[in-house]
Amino acid sequence: MATHPPEPDLSGRRILICRPEPEASRLAQSFRKAGAVPRVLPLIEREPLPETPERRTLILSLDHYTHIITVSPYAARLLLDEVDTWWPQIPTGIRWYAVGAGTAAVLAEQGLSPRRPAQGWTSEALLALPSLARIDGERVLLARGEDGRELIRETLEARGAQVTVLPLYRRYLPEHPSDQIDHLLGDFAPEAIVTLSGETLNNLIALCAKSGHNLYDRLLIVPADRVADQARTAGFEFPCIPGSLADNDIVATVAEQLNGRDGSSGTVK
């Protein structure tokens, strides 16, 4: 008879979630189910970029591309919305890609079969896919935000691909009242903080410096080794990468680490 791992126990634990909405509130609900006391302080938000004639032309020429890469669930949703507007059905013969499982799920909802890394959810993992290894002369569409890492574009261009970047949204730091920041960073005193991008982490570092709150000894959930290194360089003592970026894996990782620190010397495993 199969056994299931015990449900995470985070009774009374204070968790600060710095993700954008609606992901932040969804993750907060998962933490509540485990008994935690979550608070949401988005340190990055997104908004769609206005449509332009150039972008419309690009969408109408979608069938000219061999590979289409979507870097996030948000990018995938925006792209599919535009495709739905201008195409009676999604063009066939295109290889679709997703950086992680969440993005792949958005594409799969539309009947697509995206390729994604078997292990990991980073640009580096995506670029290791065999179908992106030899693409000399092939056309690639990269759906992403207005700004971001250039690794995918630069690497594929170095492999000989013709890469077109399709910016669909912009990211920005939302404004929060100073009393809210003081309450969440000070009075609330989070035991764990969820920052799932390098940009979010940078905004947290700047906010700590500006407000005078020191959170460097708290458990910090980050998405990848690159961001963990960034956190350590900034002075965070306990960056930790979850088993995946799915809500339940984030909650399980926080429970394991916080409960482990209670029974050990305090270092994150």
Side-chain angles (χ1 to χ4, degrees), residues 126-141:
L126 179 82
L127 290 166
L129 289 173
S131 56
L132 292 176
R134 292 181 176 84
I135 54 174
D136 188 27
E138 296 183 6
R139 299 188 67 181
V140 179
L141 183 66

Side-chain angles (χ1 to χ4, degrees), residues 95-111:
R95 295 178 179 178
W96 290 78
Y97 296 83
V99 172
T103 307
V106 173
L107 297 175
E109 288 172 1
Q110 298 301 314

Side-chain angles (χ1 to χ4, degrees), residues 1-223:
M1 181 176 177
T3 59
H4 299 280
E7 292 295 321
D9 182 11
L10 283 165
S11 299
R13 297 290 199 170
R14 301 179 304 279
I15 315 297
L16 183 63
I17 301 169
C18 298
R19 302 187 75 180
E21 293 289 11
E23 293 91 338
S25 292
R26 188 191 68 211
L27 178 58
Q29 182 59 30
S30 295
F31 273 112
R32 288 190 190 95
K33 290 179 180 178
V37 182
R39 295 288 183 269
V40 169
L41 182 69
L43 293 183
I44 192 169
E45 286 294 359
R46 305 157 304 199
E47 65 178 8
L49 292 171
E51 185 187 65
T52 63
E54 293 79 11
R55 195 168 84 194
R56 188 182 315 125
T57 299
L58 196 157
I59 294 294
L60 288 170
S61 64
L62 208 67
D63 55 341
H64 294 177
Y65 291 88
T66 306
H67 311 268
I68 297 179
I69 299 172
T70 53
V71 303
S72 68
Y74 192 65
R77 290 190 192 96
L78 291 176
L79 177 59
L80 290 173
D81 285 347
E82 295 217 18
V83 173
D84 185 61
T85 298
W86 296 105
W87 286 86
Q89 63 182 29
I90 297 176
T92 59
I94 299 172
R95 295 178 179 178
W96 290 78
Y97 296 83
V99 172
T103 307
V106 173
L107 297 175
E109 288 172 1
Q110 298 301 314
L112 299 169
S113 300
R115 303 171 187 223
R116 68 178 180 91
Q119 300 291 330
W121 48 86
T122 63
S123 299
E124 289 84 351
L126 179 82
L127 290 166
L129 289 173
S131 56
L132 292 176
R134 292 181 176 84
I135 54 174
D136 188 27
E138 296 183 6
R139 299 188 67 181
V140 179
L141 183 66
L142 177 58
R144 66 176 210 187
E146 189 174 43
D147 300 305
R149 296 182 73 196
E150 297 293 340
L151 180 67
I152 293 177
R153 179 186 63 80
E154 291 174 350
T155 301
L156 295 181
E157 286 181 345
R159 294 175 184 175
Q162 301 175 41
V163 181
T164 301
V165 175
L166 174 60
L168 293 169
Y169 59 96
R170 77 176 187 96
R171 292 179 292 269
Y172 63 95
L173 174 63
E175 291 188 11
H176 299 288
S178 57
D179 57 344
Q180 180 190 19
I181 293 171
D182 287 337
H183 170 67
L184 291 177
L185 301 189
D187 301 334
F188 180 63
E191 299 171 81
I193 307 170
V194 180
T195 59
L196 295 186
S197 74
E199 188 174 352
T200 303
L201 174 60
N202 283 335
N203 290 341
L204 175 65
I205 293 168
L207 194 64
C208 287
K210 182 178 179 180
S211 63
H213 293 288
N214 185 340
L215 302 176
Y216 292 98
D217 61 346
R218 315 302 162 86
L219 175 66
L220 185 74
I221 301 300
V222 296

